[in-house]
Structure formats: structure tokens, C-alpha cells
Amino acid sequence: MKVSTLRGNPWDKFEFNNIVYRDNNLQHVPAKPNFQDPNQKNIFLLGDSMVESVSTPVEKVFYSIVDSNHDNLSVVPFHFAGCSLQALVLYFNQYQAFFQKDNKVFKPNLAVFQIRPLSYQGGNTVLFDPRLGRPRDFQDPINLIKSDVVVEKEKFLSNFKLDIKFSPKFQDKLFRDLVLGETRIVSLLAWKFFQWTSRVTNQVPNHEELFVENKLEELYWQRFENSVRLLKASSIQNQIPVRVLLVPSPEWLERYSYTHEFNEQEKRYKNLFDKYGIPFHNSIIDFHLERQNAGNKLFFDDGHPNSYGVKALSNAFDKLLMEQDI
């Protein structure tokens, strides 16, 4: 299916230019590769909205470019906007659902996890749990004492939260149909309402931005390291090697273009994945080189890569795959 979403100012002439190609779960729908081909290396790519590549047809997504450039590679993607690393590890452990064809289950040769600048803080982790038959939060909460007014505010905001991607609830299924509907004005308004509800309820997980404490930053990193530890354990248990791709923000790229140095968060990401022996690639260098070559803006206003950024990200993804034999 394809649906129009807003890119730019409401009601201007560009309001319907953002065409998103998705299935019923808002996922890309590339054809499944021939998993039985002994010469084929199958890659499981898990990430957030960077993998979702909003407004980009599936054949022009960064991983599709890499896929088409290598006869022996096939990429199977999974994405969930704002998803935390911990939730992605959950879906990594359920790889059988994504690598199934003709009633046969196959194993990917490699899994790549895409993260972003604020991934260490967590993300959208309220996902459908097939064991419970309902959505639940897969992220460990930060143990901070909340005031009464914060508790009441969270109760109020919970009334406006929608879990439309994988929820079996009738209202969420109906809303999903509206977002993916053929009536553009309805799909636009439904999508904007979803974005608003997501922003006010999920800007920072557990509403932890309400606490201004220096120790919060360290608590975020401690929890993220637990997710990295879980990722390493899952890799060993499933016998599937893993790698990590970091996508920069426009602000990070602007700073790097002047300093040519990594900031503290970038260094901490690298050191953390080095600690657990997980190959890691920071794509900010590839974005910087692309901007030098093309001299163009590489991001949309919402921070997602445009066609020039997609090229930079495809180069980074290619390097990560080629750095070591799969």
C-alpha cells in the first residue's frame, strides 16, 4: 500500500508529497530472497525510522541500494519507529518469523542493528507480545521516584497513546486502516494525530525528561549497556553474528564538519561495543564525505536522510558488511 503523510507545512502545496510505501504493519515489503541459495548471504537488518526510510520507495532505501549492488547479498528489514535496542533484540530472537519461506525456516548469516544518537536513552518499546496476546513494555524502567503530579500527568497522557503497528485491538486496527487508506485527507489527519500522540507520550521513555538530575544520564547508559549485553548473549545463543550501524543527526554532522572529531556520545558508543566485541561503524564519516562531494543538504527537516543522505547511509552500510567476511 501507499499512503500520504505530511512533509513540511500543513495545507501548503507540498503536503501530499511524502508518499510512504508500506504493508498493514507499516513495514516495507521487499520480495523475500531465495534463502536456499548456498551462494547467498542473508542479512537481517533491524532498526528504527532510519530503516523505515519515511517517504522512500523500497527500491531506493539505503539497504536496497546495497542489496542491488551485490549479487550474493539479500537484506531482510524490520523497523519500528523510535524502537529501543532492547526491543530490537526481542525481534532478533524471533528471526524465524522473518526468514520463513515455503513453510521452511532459515537462519540469517548476519544481523545488523541500526541505532541513532539518542538510542542509549531508550525508545518506543511498547510492542505486541504474542505470548500475552497484547502490547507490553519491553524496556526496563528507570527507577526514579515520581511526584504525585507526574503520576497524574502520565495517567492523563496514557489516554492518548496509540499502538497501531502491531496491536490487535479493534480501535488500533481501525486506525491503521485509516492511516493506510486511499482518502488522502483522512490518512494525512490520522497520521498527524498518531505523530502527535507518539510525541507527547514517547518523546523520552517513561517520561523521564520530567526529572532533571545529573545521575539520569548515567542511568541511561547503564540500562543501554544491559541491552548491549543482551544483544551479545542473543548473538551467541542464536549463533548469528551481529554488527551495529550508528546514524548521525544533522546537528552531529554539522559539528563534525567543523571539528572532524567525535563527540563524547560517539566515543562512548564505540567503546561500549568494542568492550563486547561487536563490530561497530559510525556513518557520520560517510555523511561528511557525501556532503563534501555533493555539497547538498543530506537530511529532511525531520532528521531523516534524503536522497543524498540515503547514498551516504548505503555507503556506510556497505562498509560495515564488507569490513569482515560474513
Side-chain angles (χ1 to χ4, degrees):
M1 300 181 180
K2 65 178 180 178
V3 57
S4 300
T5 63
L6 182 64
R7 174 77 69 192
N9 296 318
W11 318 120
D12 66 15
K13 63 181 180 180
F14 299 112
E15 66 175 340
F16 295 124
N17 278 14
N18 188 24
I19 305 298
V20 181
Y21 295 79
R22 298 292 183 266
D23 66 7
N24 279 332
N25 288 324
L26 298 181
Q27 297 286 311
H28 280 301
V29 283
K32 285 188 176 182
N34 180 11
F35 294 127
Q36 291 181 300
D37 186 348
N39 299 316
Q40 197 81 6
K41 302 298 183 182
N42 299 307
I43 315 299
F44 193 14
L45 174 63
L46 304 101
D48 55 28
S49 58
M50 298 299 172
V51 172
E52 187 174 7
S53 301
V54 176
S55 79
T56 306
V58 66
E59 68 273 8
K60 295 182 180 180
V61 178
F62 73 91
Y63 57 80
S64 293
I65 296 174
V66 174
D67 193 324
S68 62
N69 288 339
H70 297 277
D71 293 334
N72 65 332
L73 287 183
S74 290
V75 182
V76 177
F78 168 80
H79 52 80
F80 191 88
C83 201
S84 72
L85 180 61
Q86 183 164 331
L88 292 177
V89 173
L90 163 75
Y91 281 94
F92 170 53
N93 289 326
Q94 297 176 2
Y95 72 87
Q96 296 92 340
F98 301 90
F99 286 80
Q100 188 174 132
K101 190 174 184 180
D102 299 328
N103 296 320
K104 295 181 180 179
V105 176
F106 302 88
K107 180 181 289 188
N109 299 93
L110 174 71
V112 176
F113 290 76
Q114 169 265 310
I115 61 173
R116 63 197 187 286
L118 294 181
S119 286
Y120 74 95
Q121 290 188 0
N124 188 358
T125 55
V126 179
L127 304 176
F128 181 71
D129 187 340
R131 294 169 298 180
L132 299 178
R134 60 174 174 79
R136 75 174 180 89
D137 195 342
F138 286 93
Q139 182 165 255
D140 299 329
I142 294 291
N143 295 319
L144 293 174
I145 299 175
K146 301 180 181 181
S147 65
D148 292 340
V149 65
V150 170
V151 172
E152 292 304 316
K153 183 177 180 180
E154 289 187 346
K155 288 181 180 178
F156 172 77
L157 289 175
S158 67
N159 296 320
F160 298 95
K161 189 168 184 177
L162 296 169
D163 302 307
I164 69 167
K165 281 200 174 182
F166 304 106
S167 170
K169 294 186 295 186
F170 171 77
Q171 60 267 36
D172 289 334
K173 288 182 178 179
L174 177 62
F175 190 78
R176 192 153 56 225
D177 290 340
L178 290 176
V179 170
L180 291 168
E182 295 297 326
T183 306
R184 286 187 164 187
I185 186 64
V186 175
S187 75
L188 169 66
L189 293 175
W191 183 255
K192 289 306 293 180
F193 181 72
F194 170 65
Q195 289 179 319
W196 180 82
T197 58
S198 299
R199 185 163 58 250
V200 298
T201 59
N202 293 327
Q203 188 174 13
V204 176
N206 307 316
H207 303 292
E208 290 147 13
E209 80 281 4
L210 299 169
F211 301 91
V212 184
E213 299 185 28
N214 294 332
K215 67 176 183 179
L216 182 57
E217 189 77 359
E218 281 304 312
L219 291 175
Y220 279 140
W221 280 108
Q222 290 173 18
R223 182 173 65 181
F224 185 74
E225 183 168 357
N226 289 337
S227 297
V228 176
R229 191 180 294 113
L230 180 63
L231 171 60
K232 183 66 175 182
S234 297
S235 173
I236 295 172
Q237 180 179 355
N238 291 313
Q239 296 183 323
I240 301 172
V242 297
R243 298 177 189 177
V244 173
L245 178 65
L246 174 63
V247 181
S249 65
E251 294 76 20
W252 275 19
L253 178 60
E254 192 67 27
R255 174 201 48 75
Y256 183 85
S257 297
Y258 288 99
T259 65
H260 298 282
E261 295 179 352
F262 299 125
N263 64 25
E264 291 304 313
Q265 288 182 1
E266 291 171 287
K267 293 176 184 176
R268 194 156 184 173
Y269 274 130
K270 184 180 188 308
N271 292 337
L272 185 57
F273 288 108
D274 285 348
K275 176 180 176 179
Y276 290 92
I278 298 175
F280 169 84
H281 183 79
N282 185 349
S283 64
I284 196 170
I285 300 174
D286 306 275
F287 277 82
H288 173 65
L289 292 175
E290 179 62 27
R291 191 161 88 162
Q292 281 187 320
N293 294 332
N296 289 290
K297 184 178 177 181
L298 272 63
F299 295 91
F300 289 119
D301 291 339
D302 63 2
H304 293 96
N306 59 19
S307 59
Y308 297 101
V310 164
K311 183 179 178 182
L313 195 50
S314 68
N315 291 336
F317 186 45
D318 200 336
K319 288 179 182 177
L320 181 63
L321 295 179
M322 298 299 115
E323 280 176 357
Q324 304 175 28
D325 291 335
I326 300 174

